[in-house]
Amino acid sequence: MSATTQIDHQFDRQHIWHPYTSMTQALPVYGVVSAEGCELILDDGRRLIDGTSSWWACVHGYGHPYILEAMQKQLSTLSHVMFGGITHPSAIAVSKKLLAMTSDNLTKVFLADSGSIAVEVAMKMALQYWQGRGAPSKQRILTVKHGYHGDTFAAMSVCDPEGGMHTMFGEAVTQQLFAPAPKTPFGETLIADDLEAMEALLNAHHQTIAAVIIEPIMQGAGAMHFYSADYLKGLRALCDRYKVLLILDEIATGFGRTGKLFAYQHAGIEADILCLGKALTGGYISLAATLCSDEVALGISDSPSGVFMHGPTFMGNPLACAAASASLDLINQHQWPEQVAAIEQQMKQELATASAIEGVKAVRCLGAVGVIEMTRSVNTAALQQAFVDRGVWVRPFSSYIYIMPPYTISAQQLSRLTQAMLEVAAIAGAEAKASRGDEASFISHG
Ligand SMILES: *Cc1c(COP(=O)(O)O)cnc(C)c1O
């Protein structure tokens, strides 16, 4: 498409939902006609450096020839076929690669359509597992505050109970158990009482708890916070002691984002059930996966139904599997560790001065994630415009001005992003000082 492609913005405004928006008070949307490398090209011809990897997924950049070729080949051979009673080479290829990359205890793969569904699948697996192990009363899920696990009903039930969507849907959302969010920062040894409340909940309720679910190391959309590997180690030990499964939601952190291939490797632990998504296809098409151990699979087989009760229409979509399989080949070339380390180093240097800006609460970087946390919620639409004016695509939410760029970003492009973050944080800080009005905000990655 040419840079002059016409986009019918009026139709969009009147008829198309965007994530977390109103149909009567539409927020601005920008027309994107193409993307290449680490740049988005707008309908007015402007080029924006991408600081979000399209919601943390597009880790190799846009238009990567290797992924495109794999998808084009798949498209012309077999774009889709049902997965019930049928298998195909790309599902097998991607599953083999996932099992080879993840911890040895994980042996089974469920291919799901999106991250939220991968979380639903994980929770169903945990409940069915305990049915098969003669403990059908283990039906509740324990998690921590400030989590984010997706937007479907079961996923919502384990998102942060105050910042999430619980209050909007009331009793329609299952009541789960919540421990305080981990408070020991990444890289530090565990604060003595950090797991105390978690242990107390497990001690009191383990007979009704099927699993603990948590985002390892990085609490993403609910907190943009990095916590201590010691916390995860301690949590794994508690789950073993109280006979509760551990579900790790690596949908945001998987495939190198925090500097390790998977964030659980910072702690040297294994999950019983692992959720993957977002960067799984390199951000080219929706696909997620829920992996589990032999023990979990055996338990499910021993449950009254004898089968795992989930099977979406587009399960194992060949085009998505081909994209993922190609993206995993790129990950397996191991250029990402150096790229992510360089991004972390540069962000730490270039964002260091942000802590002196009025209205900035904290600055933190881990892997290819850089966060400026403001003391108050920001005006997403206004700051979005300020970023676009500076030629970059950064989308703040709640009180977070953050970037998660593609791993392939150049040092010059990254400097443009960090410079814009400093400038926009200063604008946000000044605005917060001038106005006392609180922005309505809820937790989402919107
Ligand atoms: C984005 C995200 C999800 C939900 O994935 P979708 O593909 O948006 O449904 C779940 N868990 C975590 C940690 C995420 O970051």
Side-chain angles (χ1 to χ4, degrees):
M1 279 206 219
S2 80
T4 53
T5 304
Q6 289 290 308
I7 286 191
D8 189 343
H9 282 280
Q10 195 184 339
F11 180 89
D12 187 285
R13 218 168 12 253
Q14 287 173 354
H15 300 288
I16 306 180
W17 293 108
H18 285 267
Y20 318 107
T21 52
S22 158
M23 271 305 204
T24 56
Q25 291 177 298
L27 290 171
V29 296
Y30 300 85
V32 169
V33 291
S34 64
E36 54 187 38
C38 298
E39 289 186 337
L40 307 178
I41 293 123
L42 298 187
D43 50 354
D44 62 9
R46 280 183 295 173
R47 301 174 80 95
L48 306 179
I49 297 165
D50 179 25
T52 67
S53 304
S54 281
W55 271 342
W56 323 350
C58 192
V59 293
H60 312 293
Y62 302 88
H64 196 293
Y66 185 74
I67 301 179
L68 292 190
E69 197 194 316
M71 290 181 79
Q72 273 153 2
K73 206 170 142 209
Q74 184 68 54
L75 192 56
S76 55
T77 321
L78 174 70
S79 64
H80 183 67
V81 66
M82 64 187 284
F83 213 47
I86 288 173
T87 193
H88 57 82
S90 291
I92 292 167
V94 71
S95 300
K96 275 186 179 168
K97 287 170 196 174
L98 285 175
L99 293 180
M101 294 167 97
T102 51
S103 58
D104 290 346
N105 70 312
L106 299 174
T107 56
K108 316 287 186 210
V109 182
F110 189 101
L111 296 165
D113 328 35
S114 71
S116 299
I117 302 303
V119 169
E120 301 268 337
V121 163
M123 290 166 76
K124 282 169 94 168
M125 281 181 174
L127 268 61
Q128 280 199 262
Y129 169 75
W130 287 114
Q131 288 170 18
R133 288 287 170 262
S137 58
K138 283 166 89 72
Q139 291 188 347
R140 281 203 285 186
I141 308 292
L142 170 59
T143 185
V144 292
K145 291 182 180 172
H146 299 168
Y148 178 78
H149 298 283
D151 289 354
T152 54
F153 271 89
M156 272 199 298
S157 78
V158 287
C159 290
D160 185 73
E162 278 130 47
M165 293 184 262
H166 290 70
T167 47
M168 295 165 212
F169 295 100
E171 285 174 10
V173 180
T174 308
Q175 297 288 307
Q176 308 287 13
L177 292 163
F178 294 90
K183 58 186 180 190
T184 313
F186 182 80
E188 297 185 15
T189 48
L190 196 67
I191 296 168
D193 65 353
D194 210 3
L195 276 160
E196 228 168 59
M198 174 66 80
E199 170 151 29
L201 284 165
L202 281 165
N203 190 37
H205 302 291
H206 64 92
Q207 279 159 337
T208 60
I209 298 174
V212 168
I213 185 168
I214 194 165
E215 298 154 274
I217 301 297
M218 179 178 82
Q219 288 199 285
M224 298 308 281
H225 183 254
F226 314 116
Y227 65 88
S228 171
D230 285 356
Y231 183 97
L232 269 187
K233 270 185 227 166
L235 181 59
R236 174 72 267 185
L238 287 175
C239 287
D240 291 340
R241 179 155 8 122
Y242 288 100
K243 298 207 174 346
V244 161
L245 296 176
L246 180 60
I247 302 170
L248 294 182
D249 179 350
E250 289 255 10
I251 290 167
T253 50
F255 309 109
R257 184 56 70 179
T258 68
K260 298 272 188 193
L261 184 56
F262 298 103
Y264 64 73
Q265 293 172 331
H266 288 287
I269 62 158
E270 292 177 345
D272 299 301
I273 301 175
L274 179 70
C275 299
L276 300 171
K278 288 200 163 92
L280 172 57
T281 63
Y284 281 69
I285 188 169
S286 185
L287 184 73
T290 308
L291 278 58
C292 75
S293 64
D294 269 349
E295 169 60 18
V296 169
L298 289 173
I300 291 167
S301 304
D302 289 340
S303 70
S305 59
V307 296
F308 180 58
M309 290 304 290
H310 206 86
T313 308
F314 288 98
M315 183 168 177
N317 173 252
L319 187 57
C321 288
S325 190
S327 177
L328 295 183
D329 284 346
L330 297 178
I331 293 284
N332 285 334
Q333 285 175 5
H334 281 294
Q335 284 162 321
W336 66 265
E338 213 173 303
Q339 291 168 332
V340 170
I343 291 169
E344 177 178 310
Q345 191 65 24
Q346 191 182 339
M347 286 191 307
K348 278 184 170 159
Q349 270 167 20
E350 295 180 353
L351 293 178
T353 56
S355 47
I357 296 170
E358 168 114 49
V360 169
K361 186 174 168 190
V363 183
R364 37 184 188 262
C365 303
L366 180 68
V369 187
V371 185
I372 298 178
E373 180 176 357
M374 308 299 293
T375 51
R376 303 158 60 94
S377 285
V378 301
N379 181 333
T380 295
L383 297 195
Q384 181 85 90
Q385 181 64 51
F387 277 115
V388 171
D389 292 343
R390 284 162 179 75
V392 301
W393 182 248
V394 177
R395 190 165 167 84
F397 69 94
S398 183
S399 55
Y400 310 108
I401 299 172
Y402 77 94
I403 51 171
M404 289 204 204
Y407 303 162
T408 49
I409 196 156
S410 72
Q412 290 90 324
Q413 288 172 320
L414 186 55
S415 286
R416 293 269 311 275
L417 288 171
T418 56
Q419 182 59 35
M421 284 173 81
L422 296 176
E423 291 172 17
V424 172
I427 295 173
E431 268 173 12
K433 205 183 166 198
S435 84
R436 283 257 162 284
D438 241 346
E439 272 265 310
S441 81
F442 67 93
I443 286 176
S444 69
H445 48 106

